[in-house]
Amino acid sequence: MTTPKFAQIKQFIVDKISSATWQENQRVPSENELSNQFSVSRMTARRALSELTEAGILTRSQGLGTFVASFKSQSSLLEIKNIADEVKERNGNYSCTVLALESLPAITSIAIALGIKVNSTVYRSVLLHNENTKPLQIEERFVNPTFATQYLQQNFTLLTPHEYLSNVAPLTQATHTVEAIMPNKQMCQWLNLSSQEPCLQLIRRTWSSNGIVSYARLVSPGSKYRLGGHLTFKNNN
């Protein structure tokens, strides 16, 4: 099967970033430049850039262009916490339901997010985190087996993926994208939502010192979950 042109452009850009040919904050070719280089329409080039921007790999600035996103940790804005610890801090009773734990070939979007080749083996887990037996958050995570060879052998009712990965591939960097979404039918069933209410979706990629470890999507009902942070500003006086 022939790889679609927009996917070829995405892989080209990711390869340039993964090989360090293009550095953080470096400007990438424009829609016009990519459309000429790959002999495609501007719409096709725009789709490639837009999807990479949505994945947090690129960032776009109106009037300036598209740039390689910074992969520095955003913990000063959004602290990465273990959800089990969050529940316990509220004196809640944490539990987890494992919905899926499997090995599968990486589709294009996942391969790009993890910086690996399309159809490479990845590990996938889908967990339902509960507080006081009530559904709190769906976690779908894709993991690069290179950094967590025993991922599929873990009992995630006893420890979270965050805990396990922090031990075998200590977190050094992370990116986050947060948005409001409407859940699909499956999400409503898992989260026990009687009707479709807005949910909070967090897309997170994490790095260890040797590369991208995981790509996760965390979805929580808007009425049950919130994100917060604390900023400290230096006094220049």
Side-chain angles (χ1 to χ4, degrees):
M1 181 181 296
T2 304
T3 304
K5 284 289 188 178
F6 80 91
Q8 292 180 30
I9 297 173
K10 289 169 68 175
Q11 190 63 58
F12 166 77
I13 293 172
V14 170
D15 287 344
K16 290 290 187 182
I17 297 173
S18 299
S19 65
T21 302
W22 293 351
Q23 301 292 320
E24 291 182 23
N25 303 315
Q26 181 175 336
R27 185 182 178 278
V28 305
S30 67
E31 292 175 7
N32 282 335
E33 291 168 330
L34 288 171
S35 63
N36 290 332
Q37 181 176 347
F38 286 87
S39 300
V40 297
S41 67
R42 283 190 61 185
M43 184 177 298
T44 298
R46 183 181 300 120
R47 177 177 177 181
L49 293 175
S50 296
E51 290 189 6
L52 289 176
T53 299
E54 291 173 3
I57 296 171
L58 301 177
T59 180
R60 310 191 79 169
S61 179
Q62 185 68 33
L64 296 177
T66 305
F67 302 84
V68 178
S70 173
F71 297 145
K72 295 180 180 179
S73 172
Q74 299 179 30
S75 59
S76 62
L77 296 177
L78 183 62
E79 184 179 357
I80 297 178
K81 289 187 176 182
N82 180 29
I83 190 168
D85 294 335
E86 290 184 13
V87 172
K88 293 172 184 176
E89 287 174 2
R90 296 193 290 266
N91 295 317
N93 180 30
Y94 170 81
S95 62
C96 173
T97 305
V98 178
L99 302 172
L101 191 58
E102 59 187 349
S103 172
L104 71 171
I107 61 174
T108 300
S109 59
I110 300 304
I112 288 173
L114 290 176
I116 60 178
K117 297 295 184 181
V118 175
N119 291 324
S120 298
T121 297
V122 295
Y123 295 154
R124 173 179 178 261
S125 58
V126 182
L127 308 179
L128 181 61
H129 300 292
N130 308 297
E131 181 172 5
N132 299 326
T133 72
K134 295 182 179 180
L136 177 64
Q137 182 184 86
I138 299 168
E139 173 191 317
E140 180 180 29
R141 186 183 297 266
F142 295 88
V143 176
N144 186 339
T146 301
F147 304 112
T149 57
Q150 300 300 310
Y151 188 79
L152 298 183
Q153 283 70 55
Q154 303 310 304
N155 183 350
F156 289 123
T157 64
L158 300 179
L159 83 167
T160 66
H162 174 79
E163 289 175 297
Y164 173 70
L165 294 175
S166 294
N167 288 328
V168 300
L171 174 68
T172 59
Q173 301 178 35
T175 60
H176 309 275
T177 301
V178 183
E179 65 178 330
I181 66 167
M182 292 302 297
N184 58 35
K185 185 177 180 179
Q186 180 66 82
M187 290 177 181
C188 287
Q189 180 180 340
W190 283 339
L191 292 170
N192 195 26
L193 300 178
S194 58
S195 60
Q196 287 198 349
E197 68 167 271
C199 287
L200 184 67
Q201 174 177 272
L202 188 152
I203 301 295
R204 174 182 293 156
R205 291 198 301 160
T206 58
W207 281 254
S208 71
S209 58
N210 295 316
I212 304 172
V213 177
S214 73
Y215 172 78
R217 180 174 67 152
L218 313 174
V219 178
S220 307
S223 61
K224 296 183 180 179
Y225 204 76
R226 66 180 180 178
L227 293 171
H230 175 78
L231 294 176
T232 299
F233 296 94
K234 292 182 179 180
N235 188 342
N236 295 322
N237 295 328

